[in-house]
Amino acid sequence: MSDVMERPSKTQRHPSSSQQIKMMVGKLPAEEREVLLLVCVQGMSYQDAAHELGISTVAVKDRLLRARLGLIRKLDL
């Protein structure tokens, strides 16, 4: 158990600056980037983001998931 606690996490092995994250967000497809910014940065609810974009809440959730997974892959987390 102590072995697990002593191993550095992936984020410690691969530190990501906020500049790098901003750059990766900018490389996301526009639909995913829009949802990510509305929900995660501006704090909109899924319903409000859906209304703002003229899409369903299911589409918001789907795009947000794809955006998050894309960032995880790009940042190697």
Coordinates of all heavy atoms in Angstrom, one line a residue:
M1 N 0.8 -1.2 0.0 CA 0.0 0.0 0.0 C 0.9 1.2 0.0 O 0.6 2.2 -0.7 CB -0.9 0.0 1.2 CG -1.8 1.2 1.3 SD -3.4 0.8 0.5 CE -4.4 1.8 1.4
S2 N 1.9 1.3 0.8 CA 2.8 2.5 0.8 C 3.4 2.7 -0.5 O 3.8 3.8 -0.9 CB 3.8 2.3 1.9 OG 4.7 1.2 1.6
D3 N 3.6 1.6 -1.3 CA 4.2 1.7 -2.6 C 3.4 2.6 -3.5 O 3.9 3.4 -4.3 CB 4.4 0.3 -3.2 CG 5.4 0.3 -4.3 OD1 6.3 1.1 -4.3 OD2 5.2 -0.6 -5.2
V4 N 2.0 2.4 -3.5 CA 1.1 3.2 -4.3 C 1.2 4.7 -3.8 O 1.2 5.6 -4.7 CB -0.3 2.7 -4.1 CG1 -1.3 3.6 -4.8 CG2 -0.4 1.3 -4.7
M5 N 1.3 4.9 -2.5 CA 1.3 6.3 -2.0 C 2.6 7.1 -2.4 O 2.6 8.3 -2.5 CB 1.1 6.3 -0.5 CG -0.2 5.7 0.0 SD -1.6 6.5 -0.7 CE -1.7 7.8 0.5
E6 N 3.7 6.3 -2.6 CA 4.9 6.9 -2.9 C 5.1 7.2 -4.4 O 6.0 8.0 -4.8 CB 6.1 6.1 -2.4 CG 6.1 6.0 -0.9 CD 7.1 5.0 -0.3 OE1 7.9 4.5 -1.1 OE2 7.1 4.8 0.9
R7 N 4.4 6.5 -5.3 CA 4.6 6.7 -6.7 C 4.0 8.1 -7.1 O 2.9 8.4 -6.7 CB 3.8 5.6 -7.5 CG 4.7 4.4 -7.6 CD 4.0 3.4 -8.5 NE 3.1 2.6 -7.7 CZ 2.1 2.0 -8.1 NH1 1.8 2.0 -9.4 NH2 1.3 1.3 -7.3
P8 N 4.7 8.8 -7.9 CA 4.1 10.1 -8.4 C 2.9 9.9 -9.3 O 2.9 8.9 -10.1 CB 5.3 10.8 -9.1 CG 6.2 9.7 -9.5 CD 6.0 8.6 -8.5
S9 N 2.0 10.7 -9.2 CA 0.8 10.6 -10.2 C 1.3 11.1 -11.5 O 2.3 11.7 -11.7 CB -0.3 11.5 -9.7 OG 0.0 12.9 -9.8
K10 N 0.4 10.8 -12.5 CA 0.8 11.2 -13.9 C 0.9 12.7 -14.0 O 1.7 13.2 -14.8 CB -0.3 10.7 -14.9 CG -0.1 9.3 -15.3 CD -1.1 9.0 -16.4 CE -0.7 7.6 -17.0 NZ -1.5 7.3 -18.2
T11 N 0.1 13.4 -13.2 CA 0.1 14.9 -13.3 C 1.5 15.4 -12.7 O 2.0 16.4 -13.2 CB -1.0 15.6 -12.6 OG1 -1.1 15.1 -11.2 CG2 -2.3 15.3 -13.3
Q12 N 2.0 14.7 -11.8 CA 3.3 15.1 -11.2 C 4.4 14.8 -12.2 O 5.4 15.5 -12.3 CB 3.6 14.4 -9.9 CG 2.7 14.9 -8.8 CD 2.8 14.1 -7.5 OE1 3.0 12.9 -7.6 NE2 2.8 14.7 -6.4
R13 N 4.3 13.7 -13.0 CA 5.3 13.3 -14.0 C 5.2 14.2 -15.2 O 6.2 14.4 -15.9 CB 5.1 11.9 -14.4 CG 5.5 10.9 -13.3 CD 5.6 9.5 -13.8 NE 4.3 9.1 -14.5 CZ 3.5 8.2 -14.0 NH1 3.7 7.6 -12.8 NH2 2.4 7.8 -14.7
H14 N 4.0 14.7 -15.5 CA 3.8 15.5 -16.7 C 3.1 16.7 -16.3 O 1.9 16.9 -16.6 CB 3.0 14.7 -17.7 CG 3.6 13.4 -18.2 ND1 4.7 13.4 -19.0 CD2 3.3 12.1 -17.9 CE1 5.1 12.1 -19.2 NE2 4.2 11.4 -18.6
P15 N 3.7 17.7 -15.7 CA 3.0 18.9 -15.3 C 2.5 19.7 -16.5 O 3.2 19.7 -17.5 CB 4.1 19.7 -14.5 CG 5.4 19.2 -15.0 CD 5.1 17.7 -15.4
S16 N 1.3 20.2 -16.4 CA 0.7 20.9 -17.5 C 0.5 22.4 -17.0 O -0.1 22.6 -16.0 CB -0.6 20.3 -17.9 OG -0.4 19.0 -18.3
S17 N 1.0 23.3 -17.8 CA 0.8 24.7 -17.5 C -0.6 25.1 -18.0 O -1.2 24.5 -18.8 CB 1.8 25.6 -18.1 OG 1.7 25.5 -19.5
S18 N -1.1 26.2 -17.4 CA -2.4 26.7 -17.8 C -2.4 27.1 -19.3 O -3.3 27.0 -20.0 CB -2.9 27.8 -16.9 OG -2.0 28.9 -17.0
Q19 N -1.2 27.6 -19.7 CA -1.0 28.0 -21.1 C -1.2 26.8 -22.1 O -1.8 26.8 -23.1 CB 0.3 28.6 -21.3 CG 0.5 29.3 -22.7 CD -0.4 30.5 -22.8 OE1 -1.0 31.0 -21.9 NE2 -0.5 30.9 -24.1
Q20 N -0.6 25.6 -21.7 CA -0.7 24.4 -22.5 C -2.2 23.9 -22.5 O -2.7 23.5 -23.6 CB 0.2 23.3 -21.9 CG 0.1 22.0 -22.7 CD 0.9 20.9 -22.1 OE1 1.3 21.0 -20.9 NE2 1.2 19.9 -22.8
I21 N -2.9 24.0 -21.4 CA -4.3 23.6 -21.4 C -5.1 24.5 -22.3 O -6.0 24.1 -23.0 CB -4.8 23.6 -19.9 CG1 -4.1 22.5 -19.1 CG2 -6.3 23.4 -19.9 CD1 -4.3 22.6 -17.6
K22 N -4.9 25.8 -22.2 CA -5.6 26.8 -23.1 C -5.4 26.5 -24.5 O -6.3 26.5 -25.3 CB -5.2 28.2 -22.8 CG -5.7 28.8 -21.5 CD -5.2 30.2 -21.2 CE -5.6 30.7 -19.9 NZ -5.1 32.0 -19.6
M23 N -4.1 26.1 -24.9 CA -3.8 25.8 -26.2 C -4.6 24.5 -26.7 O -5.1 24.5 -27.8 CB -2.3 25.6 -26.4 CG -1.8 25.4 -27.8 SD 0.0 25.2 -27.9 CE 0.2 23.6 -27.2
M24 N -4.6 23.5 -25.8 CA -5.3 22.3 -26.1 C -6.8 22.5 -26.3 O -7.5 21.9 -27.1 CB -5.0 21.2 -25.1 CG -3.6 20.7 -25.1 SD -3.1 20.1 -26.7 CE -1.4 20.2 -26.6
V25 N -7.4 23.3 -25.4 CA -8.8 23.6 -25.5 C -9.1 24.3 -26.8 O -10.1 24.0 -27.5 CB -9.3 24.5 -24.3 CG1 -10.7 25.1 -24.6 CG2 -9.2 23.8 -23.0
G26 N -8.2 25.2 -27.3 CA -8.3 25.9 -28.5 C -8.3 24.9 -29.7 O -8.8 25.2 -30.8
K27 N -7.7 23.8 -29.6 CA -7.6 22.8 -30.6 C -8.7 21.8 -30.7 O -8.9 21.1 -31.7 CB -6.3 22.0 -30.5 CG -5.0 22.8 -30.8 CD -3.8 22.0 -30.7 CE -2.6 22.8 -31.0 NZ -1.3 22.0 -31.0
L28 N -9.6 21.9 -29.7 CA -10.8 21.0 -29.7 C -11.7 21.5 -30.9 O -11.8 22.7 -31.2 CB -11.6 21.1 -28.4 CG -10.9 20.5 -27.2 CD1 -11.7 20.9 -25.9 CD2 -10.8 19.0 -27.3
P29 N -12.5 20.6 -31.4 CA -13.6 21.0 -32.4 C -14.5 22.0 -31.7 O -14.7 22.0 -30.5 CB -14.3 19.7 -32.6 CG -13.4 18.6 -32.3 CD -12.6 19.1 -31.1
A30 N -14.9 23.0 -32.6 CA -15.7 24.1 -32.1 C -16.9 23.7 -31.2 O -17.1 24.4 -30.2 CB -16.2 25.0 -33.3
E31 N -17.6 22.7 -31.6 CA -18.8 22.3 -30.9 C -18.4 21.8 -29.4 O -19.1 22.1 -28.5 CB -19.5 21.1 -31.6 CG -20.2 21.6 -32.9 CD -20.9 20.4 -33.6 OE1 -20.5 19.2 -33.3 OE2 -21.7 20.7 -34.4
E32 N -17.3 21.1 -29.3 CA -16.9 20.6 -28.0 C -16.4 21.8 -27.2 O -16.6 21.9 -26.0 CB -15.8 19.5 -28.2 CG -16.4 18.3 -28.8 CD -15.3 17.3 -29.1 OE1 -14.2 17.4 -28.6 OE2 -15.6 16.3 -29.9
R33 N -15.6 22.6 -27.8 CA -15.0 23.8 -27.1 C -16.1 24.7 -26.6 O -16.0 25.1 -25.4 CB -14.1 24.6 -28.1 CG -13.3 25.7 -27.4 CD -12.3 26.3 -28.4 NE -12.9 26.8 -29.6 CZ -12.7 26.3 -30.8 NH1 -11.9 25.3 -31.0 NH2 -13.3 26.8 -31.9
E34 N -17.1 25.0 -27.4 CA -18.2 25.8 -26.9 C -18.9 25.3 -25.6 O -19.1 26.1 -24.7 CB -19.3 25.9 -28.0 CG -19.0 26.8 -29.2 CD -20.1 26.8 -30.2 OE1 -20.7 25.7 -30.4 OE2 -20.4 27.9 -30.7
V35 N -19.2 24.0 -25.6 CA -19.9 23.4 -24.5 C -18.9 23.4 -23.3 O -19.3 23.8 -22.2 CB -20.3 22.0 -24.8 CG1 -20.8 21.3 -23.6 CG2 -21.4 22.0 -25.8
L36 N -17.7 23.1 -23.5 CA -16.7 23.1 -22.4 C -16.6 24.5 -21.7 O -16.6 24.6 -20.5 CB -15.3 22.6 -22.9 CG -14.3 22.5 -21.9 CD1 -14.5 21.2 -21.1 CD2 -12.9 22.4 -22.5
L37 N -16.5 25.5 -22.6 CA -16.4 26.9 -22.0 C -17.7 27.3 -21.3 O -17.6 27.9 -20.2 CB -16.0 27.8 -23.1 CG -14.6 27.6 -23.8 CD1 -14.4 28.5 -25.0 CD2 -13.5 27.8 -22.7
L38 N -18.8 27.0 -21.9 CA -20.1 27.4 -21.2 C -20.3 26.7 -19.9 O -20.6 27.3 -18.9 CB -21.3 27.1 -22.2 CG -21.4 28.0 -23.4 CD1 -22.5 27.5 -24.3 CD2 -21.6 29.4 -23.0
V39 N -20.0 25.4 -19.9 CA -20.3 24.6 -18.6 C -19.2 24.7 -17.6 O -19.4 25.0 -16.4 CB -20.6 23.1 -19.0 CG1 -20.8 22.3 -17.7 CG2 -21.9 23.1 -19.9
C40 N -18.0 24.5 -18.1 CA -16.8 24.4 -17.1 C -16.2 25.8 -16.8 O -15.7 25.9 -15.6 CB -15.8 23.5 -17.7 SG -16.3 21.8 -17.9
V41 N -16.2 26.7 -17.7 CA -15.6 28.0 -17.4 C -16.7 29.0 -16.9 O -16.5 29.7 -15.9 CB -14.9 28.6 -18.6 CG1 -14.3 29.9 -18.4 CG2 -13.8 27.6 -19.0
Q42 N -17.8 29.1 -17.6 CA -18.8 30.1 -17.2 C -19.8 29.5 -16.2 O -20.6 30.3 -15.6 CB -19.6 30.5 -18.5 CG -18.7 31.3 -19.5 CD -19.5 31.8 -20.6 OE1 -20.8 31.9 -20.6 NE2 -18.9 32.3 -21.7
G43 N -19.7 28.2 -15.9 CA -20.6 27.7 -14.9 C -22.0 27.5 -15.2 O -22.9 27.3 -14.4
M44 N -22.4 27.4 -16.5 CA -23.8 27.2 -16.9 C -24.2 25.8 -16.6 O -23.4 24.9 -16.7 CB -23.9 27.5 -18.4 CG -24.0 28.9 -18.9 SD -24.5 28.9 -20.6 CE -24.5 30.6 -20.9
S45 N -25.5 25.7 -16.4 CA -26.0 24.3 -16.2 C -26.1 23.7 -17.6 O -26.1 24.4 -18.6 CB -27.4 24.4 -15.6 OG -28.3 25.0 -16.5
Y46 N -26.3 22.4 -17.6 CA -26.5 21.7 -18.9 C -27.7 22.3 -19.7 O -27.7 22.5 -20.9 CB -26.7 20.2 -18.7 CG -25.5 19.5 -18.2 CD1 -25.6 18.2 -17.6 CD2 -24.2 20.0 -18.3 CE1 -24.5 17.5 -17.1 CE2 -23.1 19.3 -17.8 CZ -23.3 18.1 -17.2 OH -22.2 17.4 -16.7
Q47 N -28.8 22.5 -18.9 CA -30.0 23.1 -19.5 C -29.8 24.4 -20.1 O -30.2 24.7 -21.2 CB -31.1 23.1 -18.5 CG -31.6 21.8 -18.0 CD -30.6 21.2 -16.9 OE1 -29.8 21.8 -16.3 NE2 -30.8 19.9 -16.6
D48 N -29.1 25.3 -19.4 CA -28.8 26.6 -19.9 C -27.9 26.6 -21.1 O -28.1 27.4 -22.1 CB -28.2 27.5 -18.8 CG -29.2 27.9 -17.7 OD1 -30.4 27.7 -17.9 OD2 -28.7 28.3 -16.6
A49 N -26.9 25.8 -21.1 CA -26.0 25.6 -22.2 C -26.7 25.1 -23.4 O -26.6 25.6 -24.6 CB -24.8 24.7 -21.9
A50 N -27.6 24.1 -23.2 CA -28.4 23.6 -24.3 C -29.3 24.7 -24.9 O -29.4 24.8 -26.1 CB -29.3 22.4 -23.8
H51 N -29.9 25.5 -24.1 CA -30.8 26.6 -24.6 C -29.9 27.6 -25.3 O -30.3 28.0 -26.4 CB -31.5 27.2 -23.4 CG -32.4 28.4 -23.8 ND1 -33.6 28.2 -24.4 CD2 -32.2 29.7 -23.7 CE1 -34.1 29.3 -24.7 NE2 -33.3 30.3 -24.3
E52 N -28.8 27.9 -24.8 CA -27.9 28.9 -25.5 C -27.5 28.4 -26.8 O -27.4 29.2 -27.8 CB -26.7 29.1 -24.6 CG -25.6 30.0 -25.1 CD -25.9 31.5 -25.0 OE1 -26.8 31.9 -24.2 OE2 -25.3 32.3 -25.8
L53 N -27.2 27.1 -27.0 CA -26.7 26.6 -28.2 C -27.8 26.0 -29.1 O -27.5 25.7 -30.3 CB -25.6 25.5 -27.9 CG -24.4 25.9 -27.2 CD1 -23.6 24.7 -26.7 CD2 -23.6 26.9 -28.0
G54 N -29.0 25.9 -28.6 CA -30.1 25.4 -29.4 C -30.0 23.9 -29.7 O -30.3 23.4 -30.7
I55 N -29.5 23.2 -28.7 CA -29.3 21.8 -28.7 C -30.0 21.1 -27.5 O -30.3 21.8 -26.6 CB -27.9 21.3 -28.9 CG1 -27.0 21.8 -27.7 CG2 -27.3 21.8 -30.2 CD1 -25.6 21.3 -27.7
S56 N -30.1 19.8 -27.5 CA -30.6 19.1 -26.3 C -29.6 19.0 -25.2 O -28.4 19.1 -25.4 CB -31.1 17.7 -26.7 OG -29.9 16.9 -27.0
T57 N -30.1 18.7 -24.0 CA -29.2 18.5 -22.9 C -28.3 17.3 -23.1 O -27.2 17.2 -22.6 CB -29.9 18.5 -21.5 OG1 -30.9 17.4 -21.6 CG2 -30.5 19.8 -21.2
V58 N -28.9 16.3 -23.8 CA -28.1 15.1 -24.1 C -27.0 15.4 -25.0 O -25.8 14.9 -24.8 CB -29.1 14.0 -24.7 CG1 -28.2 12.8 -25.2 CG2 -30.1 13.5 -23.7
A59 N -27.2 16.3 -25.9 CA -26.1 16.7 -26.8 C -25.0 17.5 -26.1 O -23.8 17.3 -26.3 CB -26.6 17.5 -28.0
V60 N -25.4 18.3 -25.1 CA -24.5 19.0 -24.3 C -23.6 18.0 -23.5 O -22.4 18.1 -23.5 CB -25.2 20.0 -23.3 CG1 -24.2 20.5 -22.2 CG2 -25.8 21.1 -24.0
K61 N -24.2 17.0 -22.9 CA -23.5 16.0 -22.1 C -22.5 15.3 -23.0 O -21.4 15.0 -22.6 CB -24.5 15.1 -21.4 CG -25.2 15.8 -20.3 CD -26.2 14.8 -19.7 CE -27.1 15.5 -18.6 NZ -28.1 14.6 -18.0
D62 N -23.0 14.9 -24.2 CA -22.2 14.1 -25.1 C -20.9 14.9 -25.6 O -19.8 14.5 -25.5 CB -23.0 13.7 -26.3 CG -22.2 12.9 -27.3 OD1 -21.7 11.8 -26.9 OD2 -22.1 13.4 -28.5
R63 N -21.2 16.2 -25.9 CA -20.1 17.1 -26.4 C -19.1 17.3 -25.2 O -17.9 17.4 -25.5 CB -20.6 18.4 -26.9 CG -21.4 18.2 -28.2 CD -21.9 19.5 -28.7 NE -22.8 19.3 -29.9 CZ -23.3 20.3 -30.6 NH1 -23.2 21.5 -30.2 NH2 -24.1 20.0 -31.6
L64 N -19.6 17.5 -24.1 CA -18.8 17.8 -22.9 C -17.9 16.6 -22.6 O -16.7 16.7 -22.3 CB -19.6 18.2 -21.7 CG -18.8 18.6 -20.4 CD1 -18.0 19.8 -20.7 CD2 -19.8 18.9 -19.3
L65 N -18.5 15.4 -22.7 CA -17.7 14.2 -22.5 C -16.6 14.0 -23.5 O -15.4 13.7 -23.2 CB -18.6 12.9 -22.5 CG -17.9 11.6 -22.4 CD1 -17.2 11.4 -21.1 CD2 -18.9 10.5 -22.6
R66 N -16.9 14.3 -24.8 CA -15.9 14.2 -25.8 C -14.8 15.2 -25.7 O -13.6 14.9 -25.9 CB -16.6 14.3 -27.2 CG -17.3 13.0 -27.7 CD -17.8 13.1 -29.1 NE -19.1 13.9 -29.1 CZ -19.4 14.8 -30.0 NH1 -18.6 15.1 -30.9 NH2 -20.6 15.4 -29.9
A67 N -15.2 16.4 -25.2 CA -14.2 17.4 -25.0 C -13.3 17.0 -23.9 O -12.0 17.2 -24.0 CB -14.9 18.8 -24.6
R68 N -13.8 16.6 -22.8 CA -13.0 16.2 -21.6 C -12.1 15.0 -22.0 O -10.9 15.0 -21.6 CB -13.9 15.8 -20.4 CG -14.5 17.0 -19.8 CD -15.5 16.6 -18.7 NE -16.0 17.8 -18.0 CZ -17.0 17.8 -17.2 NH1 -17.7 16.7 -17.0 NH2 -17.4 18.9 -16.6
L69 N -12.6 14.0 -22.7 CA -11.8 12.9 -23.1 C -10.7 13.3 -24.1 O -9.5 12.8 -24.0 CB -12.6 11.8 -23.7 CG -13.6 11.0 -22.8 CD1 -14.5 10.1 -23.6 CD2 -12.8 10.3 -21.7
G70 N -11.0 14.2 -24.9 CA -10.0 14.8 -25.9 C -8.9 15.5 -25.2 O -7.7 15.3 -25.5
L71 N -9.2 16.2 -24.1 CA -8.2 16.9 -23.4 C -7.3 16.0 -22.6 O -6.1 16.1 -22.5 CB -8.8 17.9 -22.4 CG -9.4 19.2 -23.0 CD1 -10.1 20.1 -22.0 CD2 -8.3 20.0 -23.7
I72 N -8.0 15.0 -22.0 CA -7.2 14.0 -21.3 C -6.2 13.3 -22.2 O -5.0 13.1 -21.9 CB -8.1 12.9 -20.6 CG1 -8.9 13.6 -19.4 CG2 -7.4 11.7 -20.2 CD1 -10.0 12.7 -18.9
R73 N -6.6 12.9 -23.4 CA -5.7 12.3 -24.4 C -4.6 13.2 -24.8 O -3.4 12.8 -24.8 CB -6.5 11.8 -25.6 CG -7.0 10.4 -25.4 CD -7.7 9.9 -26.7 NE -9.1 9.8 -26.5 CZ -10.0 10.6 -27.1 NH1 -9.7 11.5 -27.9 NH2 -11.3 10.4 -26.8
K74 N -5.0 14.5 -25.1 CA -4.0 15.4 -25.6 C -2.9 15.8 -24.5 O -1.8 16.0 -24.8 CB -4.7 16.7 -26.1 CG -5.4 16.5 -27.4 CD -6.2 17.8 -27.7 CE -7.2 17.7 -28.8 NZ -6.7 17.2 -30.0
L75 N -3.4 15.8 -23.3 CA -2.5 16.2 -22.2 C -1.8 15.0 -21.5 O -1.0 15.1 -20.6 CB -3.3 17.0 -21.1 CG -3.8 18.3 -21.6 CD1 -4.8 18.9 -20.6 CD2 -2.6 19.3 -21.8
D76 N -2.1 13.8 -22.0 CA -1.5 12.5 -21.5 C -1.7 12.4 -20.0 O -0.8 12.1 -19.3 CB -0.1 12.5 -21.9 CG 0.5 11.1 -21.7 OD1 -0.2 10.1 -21.8 OD2 1.7 11.0 -21.3
L77 N -3.0 12.6 -19.6 CA -3.3 12.4 -18.1 C -3.9 11.1 -17.9 O -4.4 10.4 -18.6 CB -4.3 13.5 -17.7 CG -3.8 14.9 -17.8 CD1 -4.9 15.9 -17.4 CD2 -2.6 15.2 -16.9

